[in-house]
Amino acid sequence: MTVRKLLSLAGWCALVAFSGAVGVRTVEATDWRTGGIPVVLSEFPQTQPVICGDGAGGAYITWQEAGNRIQLQHLLADGTPAPGWPLTGLWGVGGRYGLDPDLASDGHGGAFLAWVTGYSLAFSHVSGTGVLPGSSTPDVAEAPPTPAAADDPSAARAARPARAQKQPRLRLPVLVPDAAGGSYLLWEYDSFYAGTMTQVGRLSAEGTPDPAWPWGFGMDTTYWTFQKGPVGCLDGAGGVIVAWRKGDLDTGWDIFASRVTRTGSIALGWARSGMPVCRLRGNQDAPGVVPDGEGGALFIWHDGREAGREQIFAQHLTASGVPAPGWPADGIRVCRYATAPAVARGDNFPRRYSSAVPDGGGGIYIAWSDQRADAGDIYCQRLLPDGRLAPGWPADGLPVCTAPGAQERASLAAIESGGVLVAWQDRRDVGGADIYATRLTADGTIVQGWPDQGAAVCRQPGEQTLPRIAAAPGGAAVVAWQDERCGPARIFASFLSADGTLPGGEPVLIPSAAWLGAAPFDSSLRVSWQVEPGSGPVVVHRAERDSLWRALATVALDATGRVEFVDSTVFAGCRYGYALVLPACRPASYFGEAWLDVPSDGGIPPPAARLLAATATRGEASLAWQVSTRGSPGVRVERREDCGAWTATAAIRDSFG
C-alpha cells in the first residue's frame, strides 16, 4: 500500500479503516507521517500517555481521556491499529472511568493495563487482537478491598471512629510483569486514619488477582506510616523488589525498599517495613529501580542532602538487602551538578520518578535534566554493578542534548542488543515545546546517523509534551506524546528507525485560516477566509453578543483554498463574530475568528412587532402580532408567569407576517 498524501485527521482515519486488516509490515512503513499521527480519533482531550512495545515493532499506548476516562490503542509497526482494534480505541468512544493509567508488556505480544477507578483499582490483560487471552471480550477486573495495616491488630484498635467512616483511596498503580505470564501490581493505599502504605498484589495471566497470592500485601504494618510513590523490578527468582519514599520527622523523605518472594513472603534478610536505601537529612525523592541480575537491585533518586539543590544519587542492594561491596550506606553521587525536577506522574496526587532502565549486564542507565549550564539539558549515565562508570562514559554524565532552552522529561528504553534510547521534551525553538530523541551505544556514544543534538520527532506548532518511548526490534523505537497542534491536547505517536531516520510525507494537518474580510451583499453579508488548500470542507460558525458559537453551514474550499459564505440572517446595526471549524481538529477548535458590526444600511432591517389582539377564554389564551415581513427570520413566542422565567411556546406565522 502506497500513501502519497495525508493532509487531515479525517483522511488518516479513512486510511486506517482501509488498512486495519493488514498484518505487520516492514518498519519502513508508509503510514507514519512527519511529526507523528494521532493515535485515535476522539471528541475529547487526551493527556498522560504511557507506552510499551508489543515485541513486533508496534506499541500499546494508553492515556487519560476527557479528564476521567481511560483508553487504550494498539498500533502495528506500520502505524495502523492492530486487527480487531477500533479507530476510537479498545473501549470505543466511552472509554473506562478512571485516572492515572500504567501499562506494561506481558512478553507475549499482549499487555497489562491498570488504573485508578473511584476508590479502587481496575486492571485488564489484553492480547494483540484486543481481547483477554482465552476470552472473547476485553474484560476489566477490579481490586478486592484491602484493609489498612492488614496484619497489625493495633491499627484496628487505634482507628478513630469519626475518620474510619471515610473511604480509603488507592493511588498510582505500577505494573511489574513477572516474566511468567502474569504481573505484579504496586500501589499507594491511603487509609485516611493510619497513613499511607505501599501495597503489592499479583495478577494472573487472565488479568485477575492471583488466588494463590496474598492480595494487598502491605510493606508496613505499623500505625501511621507514610509510604508514597512505589516503583519495582523483578528479583530474577520470580519475586519483586519494591522501593518507595517514606516520611520521617527527623530526616524528611527517605528511600526504602523490600523484596517479596513469588509466594508472597518477605525474602530472607529483608524487612517488611523496608531496608534503608538512603536515610539522610534532606529529602530523597523520585525513586527508580532496576534489577542487578543476581537477586538485588540498583536504585537512583533525586537527593537534597546539599541544601538548595537536588542531585542524582544511586545505591546497590544485594539479594540479602544490604549495600553491595564498595557502596557506602547512603549511596554514591552520580552527578555533582544540580538537576531539574524529576518526571512527575499522577493527576490529583502527583509523584516524582527518575528515568532508569537496566543495561542488560547488571548495571543501570540513568537520564536526567541537568542545570549546570541553563534551565535544563539532557544528560545520561551508565553505572556498572560495582558503582564504577562503564567504559566510555564521562564523569558527571554524557551530554545528550545541550541545545538552547530547557530540555526535560527524559524517557528511556533499553535496547535488547545493547545501548539505550532517549526521548525528551525540548524548548530550543521559540513558540512551544517539541519532541526529540536519540540512540546511544553501550560505550557512551551517539549511534552513527543520529544528529548530535537529537532527532526532531515532532516540531509542529503548539505544545508537544510528555514524551514516552518504547524500543522496537533492531534498535528502532515508537514514541508517544501529548500534542496541542489542534488546540485541545491529543495523543500522537511516531516511529524512529534504528539509524535515526524519521517518517517522511506531509504532516497531519496543522489548521490555519486567515480572515479576508466581509462586505454587504443584497441585505446580506458575504464573509471570506483563506485556508490551506486541500484541507477539505469547513464549517462556518457565528456568535452574537453573550451567545455561544453556532454552526451555520458546511462550505467547500475552492481550488486556491478560499472560503466564501453569504449570511442572509444578519440584522442591520448588530455585531457578529465569525469563525471556522476544521474537521481535522476535534473537539471543535475555532480558526480565523473575526468580529464585525453590520452597517445600518446592510443586512435585514431591525424587526418590529405590534400586538394586534389578546384574548383568554376556557383556559386558553389567543394572541396575535403583526411582524415586519421583509427578510424577517422565523419567530417564537415566549411566556413568563409571576416570579418565573421566560419559556418558549409554539408559534405560527402566516404569509402576511
Side-chain angles (χ1 to χ4, degrees), residues 512-517 526-532 535-540 553-566 579-580 582:
S512 64
W515 170 255
L516 296 181
R526 187 195 303 270
V527 293
S528 58
W529 292 265
Q530 182 67 44
V531 179
E532 181 182 356
S535 297
V538 298
V539 183
V540 177
T554 300
V555 181
L557 282 63
D558 66 16
T560 65
R562 186 182 177 93
V563 177
E564 287 195 351
F565 174 73
V566 176
L580 297 181
L582 284 71

Side-chain angles (χ1 to χ4, degrees), residues 218-284:
M219 291 291 94
D220 202 343
T221 58
T222 58
Y223 181 69
W224 209 254
T225 183
F226 292 96
Q227 302 174 334
K228 300 178 182 293
V231 292
C233 69
L234 295 184
D235 67 357
V240 62
I241 295 175
V242 185
W244 61 88
R245 65 180 185 126
K246 180 179 180 180
D248 188 285
L249 292 176
D250 294 326
T251 60
W253 289 102
D254 303 316
I255 305 297
F256 277 73
S258 193
R259 179 184 175 192
V260 186
T261 68
R262 68 170 66 191
T263 59
S265 60
I266 297 297
L268 186 65
W270 297 75
R272 183 165 184 170
S273 58
M275 305 297 289
V277 176
C278 181
R279 192 179 185 186
L280 282 179
R281 286 190 179 275
N283 291 332
Q284 286 78 47

Side-chain angles (χ1 to χ4, degrees), residues 402-500:
T402 57
Q407 288 80 43
E408 52 194 352
R409 296 184 180 275
S411 175
L412 295 178
I415 301 172
E416 188 173 356
S417 59
V420 67
L421 293 152
V422 191
W424 64 90
Q425 176 180 310
D426 197 302
R427 295 188 180 275
R428 69 182 69 179
D429 295 325
V430 176
D434 300 314
I435 305 300
Y436 280 74
T438 196
R439 180 184 171 192
L440 305 176
T441 65
D443 58 7
T445 60
I446 297 174
V447 172
Q448 186 176 1
W450 289 76
D452 286 342
Q453 297 293 331
V457 179
C458 181
R459 292 183 61 195
Q460 300 301 308
E463 291 275 300
Q464 285 83 44
T465 58
L466 304 179
R468 301 295 292 269
I469 191 167
V478 180
V479 183
W481 65 90
Q482 188 172 301
D483 196 300
E484 297 180 14
R485 72 183 71 179
C486 279
R490 296 290 176 274
I491 304 304
F492 272 62
S494 188
F495 184 87
L496 292 84
S497 297
D499 61 1

